[in-house]
Amino acid sequence: TSRANARHQQRDPPAKSSGTSLEGPVEFDRPPSLGSAPASIGPPIAMAGQAVMDQFTRFVEENIRFSQEDFAILGLNMIGCVFVYYFMRLLRLPDHSWYLTLYSSGVTSFFGVYFFYHLVKDGFAAALSNEQDITRYLAIFFIGYCIMDLSLGTLHYGSLVTYDDGWVHHFLYIVILAYLLHNNMTPLFAVALVEELPIILLSIFEVQDKRRPSLLFGVLYYVTRVVFHTVLIYKAYPMSRFVFVGGLGLLLWHVEVFQGWVRGYLMRSHARQRMSFRAKLTLMFAMLISQIGTHAFVAYEVVGALPRDANYAPMAALHGLVFVYFLYRFGVVVHDVYTQNFIMTSIGRKKIIYNISWEDPAIDHTVMHMKEDDVVLTISSAGCNVLDYLCEGPKKIIAVDMNWAQLHVLELKLAGIRCLTWKQFFAIWGRSDFKVFTEVYKSKLRPLLAKETAEFWDQNTHLFRDNFMYAGTSGLMAKILCMPLIWSGVREKVRNRTPIEGKGGILFQLTLKICSITSLWSVFAPLGGVPLEQLNLLSRNPQVFVERLVEVLTTRIWKPNNYFYYGYIVGEFAPDCCPRYLEEKNFAIMKQRVDRVKVFHGTWAQGAEAEGPGSITIASLLDSMDWMPPTMIAENISKVIANMDRKKGRIFWRSFADRVHSPVLAHIKADLVDTYDRVGWYLTQFIGPVPEPYDPAMLECTGTDSRPVNSFLDDVAVMAAMAKQGLASKKDVRAFYKSQGKRYDGFREALLPGRDLLMQHAVPWVKTPKTWISVGCGTARDIEFVTGHVKAAGTKVILVDLSDALLDMARQRVIDLGLQTQVQLVEGDINDPKIRKQLPDADLVTCSYCLTMIPKWKDALKNMLDLVKPGGNLALIDFVTREGRESNWDQKLYKWWFAMDGVYFNREHVDWLRAQKSLSTIWYSEEESRVPYTPYYPTHYLYVGEKKAK
């Protein structure tokens, strides 16, 4: 399964991994740096590795003994693996990385079924105690497979033999099997071979490069590798604690794979109808409940058989903790499926998410200044704000939504405006009067609806019967959250517009406490149509929103005409506390303008394209960009701006974040709307004109999609070179870089993250820079991220680096990209006056993971800033201690670790940039990323500043 994951990642590459080499200009008056924090990883890993190897050697000597016959069988099987692999290659089957897995799983599955039959027939005790030659041969067979899969994989499909799912997984099996062989416990492995059944099924399809049978694979995997595996390791507990612990580790891995299957299978539920969504949910919960019951039963059996001595209580508690942990892991499965799938599944199944729009339109009007010639592009949601805009009288409103159910809500409201009286309209949408709805639906409303809309409402009339105020997932969330308020008497106070007195009582205080528990946000958020990506915008500072929630409950709810909370708490609107489109004074004017609303199914980018260039004057995008990754924001914003009126156009959006959350949006340079709204859920709101200069087509340019990938052995070779260089008394930098070759970028791809984000989205390519100087260019990996941008803008690129070895690699990369006519290479130090004279002033100067390696960093920053033209940009990415946590032990550890190679974390770098009066900060962000093969998560920053005109 792990190979399948790697295979599919290679077949459909994910968004580019962030980052590459840590290299750059280094002063001549000190030994040149290695450019990639080598010693910071090399020597510690070398020393730790030696200690681990010593312990491993002692373990092998004490616990593993092979006879000559065993070695002969092992050798024959390894030869057999070679023969099978190359024979299948002659057959030209598509995916050769699965040949050995097919061979191994085929053999082991056959014997697994045989031994499982005897297990069922004879029972666990007899099956697990009956060691035979064949059980030993099977264990040796599998060891041979593991060895040859690693060996042949290194030669032919190294990038798919990963560290975790390849080397660690195979070595774990080799150690466990050697232990079983030494202790004559191989029947345990023979019985466990039935767990290979889902793998042979998977292998058959993977070898042919066909789509795997999701349902059959998942059920087989669950039955064999989750349920049966749990029973087996507990039955093995009296035989060996080592096997039991190793089995728990494998069970944890199996649960993670099962979780991926559940999430992936449910994600396709709205697209593949072989099994209904409800049936899939039923199956998933049946699996979870049966596994929990099975685990509880076998754990109870083991605890019941423990001797009643002094160790009984701690051992029983330990087994209880193991059970509770796996109970938690299955809870994570449910939570993961819910948070990752809920919103998109609701859209796919045409279910209402928003029953009212939770954006205060009063704020929009204070900054939009809507006029009769305006064409407004907005998101439909529940249609409340669309109809509020209609009261302002723009020329046209394009209401877009990806969810058909939300559009059906708006279309029913539009039909009601056309044919109903205000009293009837308010009764339906203000009080969810089911009697009025049934009286007018078939006779008046339905004839005005499109076929799909009519069919939707034919099947969903119960939404008004059950109170539309609590319809949809957001209505359900509101109903749950409002219960403590209703029980505490707040409902009557809100209905009577009586402010709360004192602390509001125990239940009201309980509500405040619940809202302050950040771990519960991810439980309720999807119900309200809030994806985890949006919640994560405040992951670094959740207290900001905790304070806002308390302020909402104690203050904003009680503001006059705050219909948002009034409706949910009371369960209906009042004529004097309702959205503007429900007010009687606006009903007649809406009847006159109702045909100005155009309903569009799709994204707002597609809606803008349908209108054509220069057509949109206002784009009101709500909070939709909060959950989009930068690439998606760029793609959509480019299409909207390309179809906006460049003179009169303005863009408005809201955000859950406490600042502009995407570098793509930062280049619009919108103003923060500092206005108090009635909802309070959005911490920021922005509006800005269509920026100039701004070429939206540049947002859709791409890089090469090239992603350097190392095998585990490649990384080992790099780390060995790092250790050797770090410990050497005499540094040969050129030899160091040349010895790494293509492995250089592969290792640093994960070590140095964020460079794709910096180059593709933080750098303002919309300004079409004509000159770009890359300081500390290294191997020119940065150019690969923006090859399309460089070509489209006709940018002259100057690559500067101190290392001639790195520049040789850069030169070859430039030739491969076909950019040799646009690129100039300069060897030297940015702080050298002679080099500075060779460099022209530039529209863009970048420096990636280099500043932390320069002793005279202030001089380097000043020189880089001097190179930037007025109106141009300076962009940097590098390591730094995390803001606000500089004195924490982990930050001090990272500083020490990296300083061993002359990579110095220093917050003064950021402070210096922010303090420059000639620079205005366009974008700044910090993020953590893991150092490969370590538990370390150091912080890196992205900075983009614009040089002010003199």
Side-chain angles (χ1 to χ4, degrees), residues 275-284:
M275 190 175 183
S276 71
F277 178 72
R278 179 169 294 184
K280 289 183 178 183
L281 280 181
T282 302
L283 175 63
M284 182 191 77

Side-chain angles (χ1 to χ4, degrees), residues 43-54:
I45 284 186
M47 292 183 287
Q50 185 60 46
V52 171
M53 288 303 299
D54 291 342

Side-chain angles (χ1 to χ4, degrees), residues 122-197:
D122 303 329
F124 275 98
L128 297 183
S129 60
N130 182 25
E131 182 168 79
Q132 308 169 46
D133 287 342
I134 187 63
T135 61
R136 292 186 62 82
Y137 295 162
L138 285 171
I140 296 170
F141 169 87
F142 202 80
I143 290 176
Y145 155 72
C146 290
I147 293 172
M148 294 312 298
D149 192 36
L150 294 175
S151 302
L152 292 172
T154 301
L155 292 174
H156 298 293
Y157 43 93
S159 62
L160 301 181
V161 184
T162 62
Y163 172 70
D164 293 329
D165 296 337
W167 291 88
V168 172
H169 174 270
H170 282 19
F171 267 108
L172 178 61
Y173 264 105
I174 290 172
V175 170
I176 291 176
L177 290 174
Y179 178 86
L180 294 179
L181 284 164
H182 177 75
N183 291 280
N184 302 320
M185 295 169 60
T186 54
L188 181 63
F189 175 70
V191 170
L193 288 177
V194 74
E195 297 179 20
E196 288 294 300
L197 284 175

Side-chain angles (χ1 to χ4, degrees), residues 178-486:
Y179 178 86
L180 294 179
L181 284 164
H182 177 75
N183 291 280
N184 302 320
M185 295 169 60
T186 54
L188 181 63
F189 175 70
V191 170
L193 288 177
V194 74
E195 297 179 20
E196 288 294 300
L197 284 175
I199 306 306
I200 188 173
L201 176 70
L202 188 63
S203 302
I204 291 171
F205 283 82
E206 290 292 344
V207 163
Q208 301 176 75
D209 209 13
K210 293 182 178 179
R211 176 186 287 181
R212 65 182 70 174
S214 296
L215 180 60
L216 181 57
F217 167 78
V219 172
L220 263 179
Y221 194 93
Y222 165 77
V223 171
T224 58
R225 294 206 161 199
V226 178
V227 177
F228 178 71
H229 185 88
T230 302
V231 175
L232 185 60
I233 61 175
Y234 273 89
K235 293 296 182 181
Y237 177 79
M239 302 169 60
S240 170
R241 304 294 188 271
F242 173 78
V243 172
F244 177 72
V245 173
L248 286 176
L250 290 173
L251 178 61
L252 181 60
W253 182 69
H254 294 167
V255 170
E256 290 179 356
V257 175
F258 173 71
Q259 176 179 348
W261 171 79
V262 171
R263 181 182 20 178
Y265 191 54
L266 287 181
M267 283 180 71
R268 295 194 299 273
S269 62
H270 58 275
R272 300 179 70 187
Q273 299 300 324
R274 295 179 184 176
M275 190 175 183
S276 71
F277 178 72
R278 179 169 294 184
K280 289 183 178 183
L281 280 181
T282 302
L283 175 63
M284 182 191 77
F285 281 107
M287 287 177 164
L288 296 179
I289 292 170
S290 62
Q291 168 60 13
I292 292 169
T294 300
H295 196 157
F297 178 76
V298 293
Y300 176 78
E301 275 193 329
V302 167
V303 172
L306 291 173
R308 297 303 195 270
D309 54 18
N311 293 325
Y312 175 78
M315 292 303 297
L318 186 60
H319 281 287
L321 288 175
V322 169
F323 173 74
V324 170
Y325 175 75
F326 277 94
L327 187 65
Y328 159 76
R329 285 294 297 122
F330 279 100
V332 170
V333 172
V334 176
H335 181 267
D336 178 55
V337 170
Y338 164 64
T339 55
Q340 296 295 329
N341 295 4
F342 186 82
I343 295 175
M344 293 309 296
T345 298
S346 297
I347 292 174
R349 299 180 65 226
K350 299 181 181 179
K351 296 293 183 181
I352 293 174
I353 297 177
Y354 311 103
N355 62 333
I356 66 172
S357 299
W358 270 84
E359 292 85 12
D360 189 352
I363 303 303
D364 305 22
H365 302 312
T366 62
V367 293
M368 287 183 184
H369 309 298
M370 216 172 280
K371 299 178 181 178
E372 292 184 356
D373 61 345
D374 277 319
V375 176
V376 183
L377 174 72
T378 191
I379 298 169
S380 176
S381 187
C384 305
N385 287 20
V386 173
L387 298 179
D388 189 281
Y389 291 176
L390 190 61
C391 296
E392 294 293 305
K395 178 181 177 181
K396 185 178 184 180
I397 303 174
I398 304 105
V400 306
D401 212 295
M402 293 180 64
N403 188 350
W404 274 113
Q406 300 297 155
L407 295 176
H408 295 329
V409 172
L410 175 58
E411 289 181 291
L412 187 63
K413 289 181 178 180
L414 293 172
I417 293 172
R418 288 187 174 98
C419 69
L420 301 180
T421 65
W422 172 78
K423 287 186 178 181
Q424 292 171 322
F425 188 76
F426 186 87
I428 294 173
W429 295 106
R431 290 196 290 266
S432 195
D433 191 321
F434 186 60
K435 180 180 179 181
V436 174
F437 176 76
T438 54
E439 289 174 353
V440 301
Y441 175 65
K442 289 186 178 179
S443 60
K444 295 184 178 181
L445 294 174
R446 197 178 190 284
L448 299 178
L449 301 177
K451 179 183 177 182
E452 295 82 0
T453 305
E455 290 175 351
F456 175 85
W457 287 111
D458 289 346
Q459 299 171 12
N460 290 279
T461 57
H462 65 278
L463 295 177
F464 292 99
R465 180 197 65 200
D466 300 335
N467 193 347
F468 192 81
M469 189 58 68
Y470 299 123
T473 61
S474 62
L476 175 61
M477 180 193 72
K479 193 171 187 177
I480 294 171
L481 293 179
C482 285
M483 283 181 180
L485 296 176
I486 294 171

Side-chain angles (χ1 to χ4, degrees), residues 20-21 706-711 714-715 717-718 736-749 779 781 784 805-806 809 812-813 816:
T20 90
S21 56
S706 172
R707 181 176 178 266
V709 178
N710 278 2
S711 68
D714 287 332
D715 284 345
V718 172
F736 169 74
Y737 286 130
K738 278 190 171 294
S739 68
Q740 295 185 62
K742 294 182 179 179
R743 300 187 187 113
Y744 181 90
D745 285 327
F747 183 77
R748 289 152 183 81
E749 196 74 6
T779 64
R781 171 69 173 124
E784 286 189 319
L806 290 177
M809 298 184 208
Q812 186 58 52
R813 174 167 273 144
D816 293 341

Side-chain angles (χ1 to χ4, degrees), residues 463-539:
L463 295 177
F464 292 99
R465 180 197 65 200
D466 300 335
N467 193 347
F468 192 81
M469 189 58 68
Y470 299 123
T473 61
S474 62
L476 175 61
M477 180 193 72
K479 193 171 187 177
I480 294 171
L481 293 179
C482 285
M483 283 181 180
L485 296 176
I486 294 171
W487 296 336
S488 64
V490 170
R491 168 179 280 184
E492 291 307 312
K493 289 183 178 293
V494 171
R495 188 193 302 274
N496 299 326
R497 325 292 165 81
T498 305
I500 197 167
E501 297 176 357
K503 294 186 177 180
I506 296 176
L507 289 176
F508 184 76
Q509 289 298 312
L510 176 63
T511 304
L512 294 179
K513 290 292 184 183
I514 291 174
C515 292
S516 300
I517 302 174
T518 57
S519 59
L520 292 180
W521 293 357
S522 63
V523 175
F524 291 105
L527 286 174
V530 179
L532 285 184
E533 292 84 356
Q534 193 165 24
L535 284 182
N536 290 337
L537 293 176
L538 285 179
S539 60

